[in-house]
Amino acid sequence: MPARYTRKPSYQILSERIIQNIITEFFILLILLVSTQIKTVVHKYSYYSYKQTKHAFVQESNYRSHHKYIGPVFANVQKIWDIWDFASFNFLYILHHEKNFTGEKRDEFPFVFNMGLMMGVPRLRQIRVKQTRCPQKINFIDIHGKKCYPNYLPKNEFKGTYQQIDYVADAKSLQPTFVTYSGGGFPINLQFDYKGNRKLLRNLMKAGWIDSATRLFVIEFSIYFQDINMIQVLKLMFEIMPTGLVMPSAFIQGIQINSFLTLTPVTISAGAIFSIIVIYYTYVEIREIKWVGPSAYKNNFYNYVDVLFLIAAYCVLFYNVWHIVTIKDIEKVYAKNHRRYINMDKLSTGWNVYLHMLGIMNALVWLKPIRFISFHRSIQQVLAAMRVSIKSILGLCFFCLISIYAFAQLGCIAFSQSNEEYTTEFSSIVAQIRFLMNDISYTSLEDAHRVLAPFFFVVLAVVSYAIILNLFKAIYLSADSDVKKQLIINDMVIARMLQAGFKRYLCIWRKRSTAQINLTPRLRPTDKLPGISVDNRAKPTPNPSQQMKIITELRDLMAIQSENCARIENMMEIFVDIMENIEKLHHINKISTGRKN
């Protein structure tokens, strides 16, 4: 390997100075792992708060009255009338405690579950579509003159004025069940007064505020739990299909008020250390690009991991600053007027992106130690086997993708009307991939189609297990067995050098030797593997002792091959003698036969 290959610690070329750099980078990585784990601790109440809130709003009927009428549970809402029943009874009971029904003085700031502070007032919002020409071809008298409204599309959305309410686009897009809806709609704010809310909902129901043009009805509000310093954003969504039926779904998201910059001194210290390490890694990547050049930099896979980690880390750092500013703005809006709807969608979207970036960053941090154990023979054998069999594996993957998509299309067409796993093309593709993981429900397929289900199941099982998986294992294991015999790896030399380097690491006053040893994994020069070109082979080592060793091995192998050639020559001579004797016997037999005649 050229000396100008990289400035990062590498196990392919070692010297005493390089070992010192490797040990330093390893300690920095350990500090990064610890600081990352400290500042990304998930609150233990996050899941249980989500679970219980979902149970209270979605799965349980909370209405209690003397006339024993029980409003529908959120998950059981099926018709537009059920929406009004749920909103007028179950939902309002959750917002207004039982003591509010007795005529007692209500608190100025309402509390949900006696613990959570309602951030502002809840809001009702609906998304409508424009009227279009009816597509039916059959002239039914009973539906003559009925207005028709299409499926929801951004171009079909109505954005005018509806019942003296102007269209407002101040929310984030939602994806309940079928399609993704824009962040607009026609909003109406509720009140803190129970009687006022009952009257408002009754008037909206009489006015037919939700009708055939409505495609999405949302009840959105936010609750602040002071004891755990967390905000929960709730959106109870009712997606109204063109058939008039309703599909309910809920969005519940917990957002922690504190960031790692405003928590305990330990997390603040961990965040400061993390920021310093991120800046240091940025300097390392810039230095690496300048040293090797952009073209050589992009050829190293580990560089992509480092760059992606830096992008995620800077997103995390930026969000923590942005989070503090956004929380301050929400507090100002709430202090100015707490009897209005306080929009948390901006904070919710940012928190969602932050969690994804945080998860990616943590995963990449834990992938970084792979570089420090990449010298081991097991990892080198795996990588070499993948390089040898990559073309065959890619061809097999193409065949696998074609087969999965073909069966996904068949399943989507045949079972989509009665099986949830095959309702869309994407869900059908996911179902085929789950089949490879032994995750399939044959009973649901048979319920959808009794004749086609057995054929579909058997053929898919044969293609998946008997062909695809066995071919993949055969290709990889064949390459792995060949590579295992022919790959030369000096991992024991590296381990001994690292052990000696750890012992002398703290002697910083001692001058380090710069003599380098090339430890590049390579194939034996006399062996040829299918799929490995001459360019992909490692160059011979410049070390004289190793060169002499290789020359000695070549000489021994040439001697063995020469001896084999001599044996083959002797066998050929014996074969020629046998053929001549056979020819003589045949000639003698022919002469004796002629004399008898």
Side-chain angles (χ1 to χ4, degrees), residues 518-586:
N518 194 335
L519 298 168
T520 306
R522 63 192 184 280
L523 293 172
R524 299 183 186 277
T526 56
D527 296 330
K528 293 183 179 180
L529 285 177
I532 297 183
S533 63
V534 178
D535 297 334
N536 291 334
R537 289 186 167 219
K539 296 181 180 180
T541 176
N543 194 332
S545 61
Q546 292 186 358
Q547 284 184 348
M548 290 301 299
K549 184 178 179 181
I550 293 174
I551 292 173
T552 304
E553 291 179 356
L554 286 172
R555 186 176 60 188
D556 295 340
L557 289 172
M558 289 178 64
I560 294 172
Q561 295 298 329
S562 299
E563 187 176 344
N564 291 334
C565 290
R567 291 178 181 176
I568 292 173
E569 185 177 358
N570 293 332
M571 292 177 63
M572 293 297 297
E573 291 177 356
I574 295 172
F575 180 74
V576 170
D577 293 338
I578 292 173
M579 293 298 297
E580 290 178 353
N581 293 331
I582 292 174
E583 183 67 23
K584 290 179 181 179
L585 291 173
H586 180 70

Side-chain angles (χ1 to χ4, degrees), residues 29-43 256 258-261 263-274 277 316 320 354 358 361-362 365-366:
L29 180 58
L30 288 180
I31 296 173
L32 176 64
L33 288 172
V34 174
S35 62
T36 303
Q37 290 301 114
I38 291 175
K39 75 179 190 60
T40 57
V41 175
V42 180
H43 203 291
Q256 297 180 15
N258 291 328
S259 65
F260 70 80
L261 299 176
L263 284 171
T264 62
V266 176
T267 56
I268 295 175
S269 302
I273 294 173
F274 172 79
I277 295 177
V316 169
N320 279 272
Y354 168 70
L358 192 62
M361 185 195 70
N362 279 16
V365 168
W366 282 101

Side-chain angles (χ1 to χ4, degrees), residues 269-527:
S269 302
I273 294 173
F274 172 79
S275 304
I276 295 172
I277 295 177
V278 169
I279 295 173
Y280 166 74
Y281 277 132
T282 305
Y283 164 73
V284 170
E285 296 304 317
I286 295 174
R287 186 185 63 174
E288 180 76 4
I289 294 174
K290 290 183 178 179
W291 179 255
V292 302
S295 58
Y297 181 84
K298 66 182 182 181
N299 293 330
N300 191 344
F301 170 75
Y302 292 109
N303 291 332
Y304 291 96
V305 176
D306 294 335
V307 171
L308 188 57
F309 161 74
L310 288 177
I311 293 174
Y314 277 111
C315 289
V316 169
L317 292 174
F318 171 77
Y319 173 82
N320 279 272
V321 178
W322 178 86
H323 181 84
I324 297 173
V325 176
T326 306
I327 292 296
K328 294 295 183 182
D329 293 339
I330 292 174
E331 291 177 356
K332 292 178 182 178
V333 172
Y334 182 81
K336 186 177 180 180
N337 184 9
H338 66 274
R339 293 184 176 273
R340 53 167 289 186
Y341 173 73
I342 299 178
N343 197 331
M344 299 281 185
D345 288 347
K346 183 180 178 181
L347 180 63
S348 175
T349 303
W351 180 260
N352 196 27
V353 175
Y354 168 70
L355 291 181
H356 287 90
M357 290 294 103
L358 192 62
I360 293 173
M361 185 195 70
N362 279 16
L364 293 176
V365 168
W366 282 101
L367 287 177
K368 278 180 171 292
I370 293 178
R371 177 178 296 172
F372 292 92
I373 58 174
S374 60
F375 66 90
H376 195 266
R377 64 180 68 246
S378 60
I379 297 179
Q380 293 294 340
Q381 288 171 1
V382 170
L383 296 177
M386 291 297 295
R387 286 194 295 268
V388 170
S389 59
I390 186 64
K391 293 182 179 179
S392 301
I393 290 177
L394 288 178
L396 180 61
C397 289
F398 179 76
F399 170 73
C400 179
L401 291 176
I402 294 297
S403 303
I404 288 176
Y405 189 76
F407 281 98
Q409 287 289 328
L410 174 60
C412 184
I413 295 173
F415 310 123
S416 60
Q417 293 187 358
S418 56
N419 195 322
E420 185 179 1
E421 295 179 354
Y422 295 89
T423 53
T424 62
E425 288 186 359
F426 178 76
S427 62
S428 184
I429 292 173
V430 173
Q432 307 315 305
I433 297 175
R434 289 170 55 190
F435 187 90
L436 295 175
M437 302 292 107
N438 292 329
D439 183 13
I440 188 172
S441 176
Y442 174 74
T443 305
S444 60
L445 292 177
E446 191 175 21
D447 293 339
H449 201 293
R450 292 184 176 275
V451 178
L452 186 59
F455 169 80
F456 181 83
F457 181 82
V458 172
V459 174
L460 185 59
V462 171
V463 172
S464 301
Y465 290 97
I467 299 178
I468 295 176
L469 293 182
N470 286 326
L471 280 177
F472 176 81
K473 290 190 292 185
I475 292 171
Y476 178 77
L477 293 177
S478 175
D480 183 69
S481 62
D482 293 336
V483 166
K484 191 178 296 183
K485 299 175 183 177
Q486 303 178 16
L487 198 65
I488 303 174
I489 302 172
N490 298 310
D491 53 353
M492 297 305 298
V493 177
I494 298 175
R496 286 194 295 268
M497 293 183 69
L498 286 175
Q499 184 180 1
F502 268 108
K503 292 180 180 179
R504 297 193 293 264
Y505 177 70
L506 296 178
C507 301
I508 57 177
W509 58 87
R510 184 173 166 273
K511 187 177 179 179
R512 307 295 173 181
S513 174
T514 59
Q516 295 183 353
I517 299 176
N518 194 335
L519 298 168
T520 306
R522 63 192 184 280
L523 293 172
R524 299 183 186 277
T526 56
D527 296 330

